[in-house]
Amino acid sequence: MRFLFVYLAATLLESCESASRARSRQGKLMGVAAFGGGPPAPRVHDWARSVGKRDAPVVVEAFLDLMCPFSVKFYKTMRKDVLPKFGDDMKLVVYNYVQTWHWTSAVMAKASIAAGQLAPSRYFDAFDVLADLREKYTEQEMTETTYSQIVEELGTALSSEPASIPKEDFIQLMDPRNDLHSNLLTEVKFHTKYGRQNSIHITPTVLINGLVDNSISSSMSAEDWSRRLEFYKAQKIPS
């Protein structure tokens, strides 16, 4: 009986050690320590780039696809008409949210984020440039164009003022063969994961102070936004 007990205990210990080694191997394959660690996460809570007053009473989070005509229309209205008038009352946060049926969307999103990594203070200048290029990079226009050709063209466009992104640095960062490209992809995934966890589907989708507001439309004018901002600012949290 004692022999049987010792045998069973030894077998159980070996099984546990084997499972532990398997978890360790799996963790290493995933690039994560078997105990502790996890998938990459932003270093700060407000990691996404924003424009407007930092402590504004109204925070507008916009999930945009640079190849979506409605996203571009929404963004241009915000940049040209709304923010110059109401920038003290609001902060605009932009997430690059790729819609997979536009195959060039992923390239444009990477270009936007790459520009932000290379020149954080000129991120929105770069986003302006890319938004103006939407019609040039539709699927219909790009059927005979390679990824490298698109990156070369975007690098040239972004190197001019006001974005002034160093072209060679941009091309290197956009190159999947470059080690730094993994840092770019990590930030792309942050945008995607944040949208998915909030069940975002269409673009543009807008969150106001953390909650989705389905009444927001790309057709809203500066006057419409003026009324909406007054409404948002008037909201009181019950004591």
Side-chain angles (χ1 to χ4, degrees):
M1 180 65 100
R2 182 179 179 183
F3 172 78
L4 179 60
F5 175 77
V6 172
Y7 172 77
L8 291 174
T11 302
L12 179 60
L13 178 61
E14 182 179 358
S15 176
C16 290
E17 290 177 346
S18 177
S20 177
R21 288 193 297 269
R23 286 194 297 270
S24 179
R25 286 195 300 272
Q26 183 182 22
K28 290 176 181 178
L29 287 172
M30 295 173 64
V32 178
F35 299 101
R43 289 185 295 276
V44 292
H45 175 68
D46 55 345
W47 55 272
R49 306 191 192 282
S50 62
V51 61
K53 190 175 181 181
R54 184 173 181 82
D55 58 348
V58 180
V59 179
V60 179
E61 295 179 271
F63 291 83
L64 307 179
D65 178 347
L66 276 162
M67 293 309 301
C68 167
F70 304 106
S71 291
V72 170
K73 182 179 180 181
F74 169 89
Y75 175 77
K76 288 185 175 182
T77 298
M78 296 298 290
R79 282 284 276 168
K80 295 178 180 179
D81 301 326
V82 179
L83 281 165
K85 294 181 180 179
F86 311 112
D88 288 340
D89 293 329
M90 64 175 292
K91 177 174 73 172
L92 174 65
V93 186
V94 170
Y95 301 99
N96 287 274
Y97 202 60
V98 174
Q99 302 286 34
T100 54
W101 45 89
H102 303 304
W103 77 263
T104 47
S105 291
V107 185
M108 297 293 272
K110 285 168 60 176
S112 168
I113 294 169
Q117 290 186 355
L118 292 169
S121 65
R122 296 194 295 276
Y123 172 79
F124 283 95
D125 292 325
F127 206 95
D128 293 343
V129 172
L130 295 171
D132 286 338
L133 292 173
R134 190 201 72 82
E135 292 187 5
K136 182 178 180 180
Y137 289 97
T138 62
E139 297 93 313
Q140 294 86 347
E141 298 295 328
M142 292 291 104
T143 53
E144 302 296 328
T145 310
T146 67
Y147 174 84
S148 295
Q149 289 172 327
I150 295 175
V151 170
E152 175 75 24
E153 292 178 5
L154 293 179
T156 299
L158 290 169
S159 65
S160 302
E161 294 185 355
S164 303
I165 305 299
K167 181 177 178 179
E168 291 305 316
D169 293 344
F170 173 81
I171 291 174
Q172 288 182 15
L173 187 55
M174 292 285 286
D175 188 344
R177 297 165 296 185
N178 190 307
D179 291 340
L180 293 176
H181 188 259
S182 62
N183 295 333
L184 174 59
L185 289 184
T186 295
E187 188 169 345
V188 172
K189 291 175 183 178
F190 289 161
H191 291 244
T192 302
K193 288 180 177 180
Y194 188 62
R196 287 178 178 175
Q197 78 174 19
N198 284 290
S199 301
I200 304 301
H201 175 56
I202 63 172
T203 56
T205 293
V206 176
L207 279 66
I208 303 295
N209 291 344
L211 297 177
V212 174
D213 188 338
N214 289 318
S215 70
I216 301 299
S217 162
S218 61
S219 63
M220 288 176 61
S221 65
E223 290 72 25
D224 295 329
W225 271 103
S226 177
R227 290 190 291 271
R228 294 300 292 173
L229 288 170
E230 289 302 319
F231 170 77
Y232 294 135
K233 289 192 297 179
Q235 302 304 297
K236 303 295 183 181
I237 299 175
S239 59

